[in-house]
């Protein structure tokens, strides 16, 4: 296994456990989410993880979940649950739900190692107003994760893959709630 280091410090140490590791690190000022796969990574001289293809490539989480069609089904189920939950549905009022779902499919495809690149805002920019103005916090994040787990369970995703997906999702918590300018955690 090739060791790695990342230029930014947003990735939790559990990613180094060998279960889920970043395929690519993207500087925190650009996109604060690790693109993940199951396998090994190699670090370039500037500290950014680069793709490393092991001899027997292990399937990415995207492949294990079943590809784009499966991700779309999970996202639909996930948002059905989220939009029905009184504790979090208010954060989505006035939002184009179809556009949100399409964006989430793109993000999850990217985060779980699929072929699509993520072109959205970084986690802080995408959620700053919700955090500052509407009080989005760790409790809401936990509720969202619970709904993702429920959606994955509905599609009979094996528990070990749900756990691996949860670890990927967990890497977004800190960048979602940490102001990159002040370094203050607001979750």
């Amino acid at each position: 296994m090739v060791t790695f280091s990342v230029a930014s410090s947003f990735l939790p140490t559990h990613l180094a456990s060998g279960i889920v590791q970043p395929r690519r690190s993207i500087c925190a000022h650009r996109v604060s989410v690790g693109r993940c796969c199951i396998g090994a990574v190699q670090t370039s001289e500037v500290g950014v993880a680069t793709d490393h293809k092991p001899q027997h490539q292990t399937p990415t989480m995207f492949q294990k979940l079943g590809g784009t069609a499966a991700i779309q089904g999970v996202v639909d189920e996930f948002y059905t649950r989220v939009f029905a939950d009184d504790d979090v549905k208010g954060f989505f009022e006035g939002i184009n739900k179809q556009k949100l779902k399409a964006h989430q499919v793109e993000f999850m495809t990217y985060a779980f190692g699929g072929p699509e690149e993520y072109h959205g805002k970084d986690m802080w920019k995408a959620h700053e107003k919700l955090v500052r103005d509407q009080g989005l916090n760790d409790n809401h994040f936990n509720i969202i994760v619970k709904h993702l787990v429920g959606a994955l369970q509905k599609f009979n995703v094996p528990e070990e893959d749900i756990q691996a997906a949860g670890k990927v999702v967990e890497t977004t918590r800190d960048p979602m709630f940490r102001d990159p300018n002040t370094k203050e955690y607001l979750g």
Side-chain angles (χ1 to χ4, degrees), residues 83 92-102:
F83 297 153
F92 300 94
E93 289 178 4
I95 291 178
N96 179 327
K97 290 180 170 80
Q98 293 301 353
K99 184 177 177 181
L100 178 65
K101 287 180 181 183

Side-chain angles (χ1 to χ4, degrees), residues 16 113 123:
M123 296 304 291

Side-chain angles (χ1 to χ4, degrees), residues 124 127-136 176-177 186-187:
W124 175 251
H127 297 91
E128 180 181 13
K129 288 183 180 181
L130 296 173
V131 171
R132 292 195 186 278
D133 300 342
Q134 296 182 31
L136 182 70
M176 184 181 295
F177 294 115
L186 302 171

Side-chain angles (χ1 to χ4, degrees), residues 45-121:
E45 290 184 22
V46 294
V48 176
T50 57
D51 286 336
H52 173 72
K53 295 183 182 183
Q55 287 181 344
H56 301 288
Q57 193 167 11
T58 307
T60 64
M61 183 58 58
F62 172 79
Q63 292 166 326
K64 290 179 93 177
L65 292 175
T68 302
I71 295 288
Q72 289 171 333
V74 168
V75 167
D76 284 341
E77 177 63 24
F78 166 72
Y79 278 119
T80 296
R81 293 165 183 256
V82 168
F83 297 153
D85 188 317
D86 290 336
D87 291 325
V88 293
K89 70 181 182 183
F91 294 111
F92 300 94
E93 289 178 4
I95 291 178
N96 179 327
K97 290 180 170 80
Q98 293 301 353
K99 184 177 177 181
L100 178 65
K101 287 180 181 183
H103 177 76
Q104 189 68 13
V105 167
E106 178 185 330
F107 177 78
M108 286 179 69
T109 298
Y110 175 78
F112 293 149
E116 203 164 317
E117 291 294 322
Y118 177 69
H119 298 99
K121 297 177 183 177

